[in-house]
Amino acid sequence: MVDSRPLTSDRPRPKRPPVSATATSAAPSPVTIGVRSGLLIALALLAVVAASGFDVATLVVPGSRGVGGEAMIADFGADAVPDRFAYDGQPLYVVAREFPDVAAMYDQGVADFRINRGLQAAHSAWAPHGAPLMVVLAAWGAVGVALAAGALADLARRHGRDPRVGYGAALALVFPSVITTSEPLAFGLGFLGLAFADRNRLGPAVLAFGLAGLARETALAMAIAAALVLLWRRRPLAALAVGAGSAVPFLAWSAHVRASVPRSDQNTAELFGFLDLPEAVGPG
């Protein structure tokens, strides 16, 4: 007898059980995973500072030949700023130190693409120059790690996976956290946006993505991913709102940065400083 039933059926298919239901149910909550990850990063930062003899400047791997070397020496002393090129955290410190004076940032040699990443600096600028400002910048990195780990854990749990994969986000962000760059906060906000989008809470998702782009423009790739998923689900207007809305804060701040000083006074490139090669910083 020939089976004439179709290959697919209109009846709902039974849900597949999670990869490890026991492990998932026994795992900590996403909030707990996020808080633990942030605290672990805070301990790592404390260990780095303690290993340097409690020299807080070490959190940006400073260098007198890097961007803002003079400002670092003025705030921390010459002994704390070796004769070398600095890592990416030093320009971030300078942006926070001079915020919101864009012209002063350019005078210190900061390139425009770094000034565009102004979120972390803007929310740290209230702290006094020197150790307090450095600590606040580093603390925002720990907050970003907590957001990334917690949001990834939430996504995993909602899709039947072990939420402890959220610790993987924390592990990936350890190095940028201990040298105080913008990645942890940017991608923490980006993961938060993905978690909101997965719950179809598009307003908070756009807000999180927009803030992520202000922290670091590459985090907007996560907004693009969310928009593509919405397109795949045949929701073009929602996709447009998420994609375009997320980019507005970055575009607005970037336009302000470029309008703040004459084009001839802007630094349009900054390459290879951390490799101890000559900087390619100059007028645009």
Side-chain angles (χ1 to χ4, degrees):
M1 180 177 180
V2 178
D3 187 354
S4 61
R5 290 178 300 176
L7 294 176
T8 59
S9 172
D10 293 333
R11 291 178 299 177
R13 296 179 180 180
K15 292 183 178 180
R16 293 182 179 180
V19 173
S20 178
T22 302
T24 302
S25 61
S29 71
V31 172
T32 299
I33 290 172
V35 171
R36 286 178 179 175
S37 298
L39 290 175
L40 287 172
I41 291 299
L43 290 174
L45 292 169
L46 181 60
V48 169
V49 173
S52 68
F54 292 94
D55 177 10
V56 179
T58 195
L59 289 174
V60 295
V61 193
S64 61
R65 286 185 282 165
V67 169
E70 293 181 0
M72 292 293 295
I73 292 173
D75 291 351
F76 295 97
D79 292 341
V81 186
D83 181 21
R84 65 186 181 195
F85 284 94
Y87 276 56
D88 290 358
Q90 185 163 301
L92 178 63
Y93 174 86
V94 174
V95 173
R97 183 183 191 269
E98 305 298 343
F99 194 90
D101 190 345
V102 174
M105 300 174 199
Y106 278 126
D107 288 343
Q108 293 277 358
V110 183
D112 51 6
F113 77 93
R114 297 192 187 278
I115 300 175
N116 289 340
R117 302 168 179 174
L119 181 73
Q120 191 166 345
H123 287 81
S124 305
W126 55 268
H129 298 173
L133 177 55
M134 189 70 73
V135 169
V136 173
L137 284 169
W140 278 117
V143 170
V145 171
L147 290 174
L152 181 57
D154 180 68
L155 284 165
R157 188 175 68 173
R158 282 174 53 79
H159 291 274
R161 299 296 184 266
D162 191 328
R164 282 171 288 201
V165 301
Y167 291 124
L171 183 62
L173 293 171
V174 168
F175 179 69
S177 297
V178 297
I179 63 171
T180 315
T181 65
S182 58
E183 284 95 335
L185 184 58
F187 291 110
L189 288 165
F191 273 115
L192 182 63
L194 289 175
F196 278 131
D198 189 61
R199 293 174 178 270
N200 201 33
R201 298 181 62 186
L202 299 187
V206 170
L207 176 60
F209 287 139
L211 292 173
L214 276 176
R216 190 179 183 90
E217 72 286 347
T218 52
L220 289 173
M222 303 170 90
I224 294 172
L228 289 175
V229 170
L230 290 168
L231 276 177
W232 180 69
R233 294 176 178 173
R234 299 181 181 179
R235 299 179 62 189
L237 293 180
L240 179 63
V242 169
S246 300
V248 168
F250 169 76
L251 294 175
W253 172 246
S254 179
H256 168 72
V257 168
R258 282 159 179 74
S260 297
V261 297
R263 180 66 178 172
S264 60
D265 294 337
Q266 296 176 16
N267 305 315
T268 56
E270 181 190 279
L271 303 174
F272 307 127
F274 68 97
L275 296 177
D276 203 29
L277 297 175
E279 291 181 327
V281 179

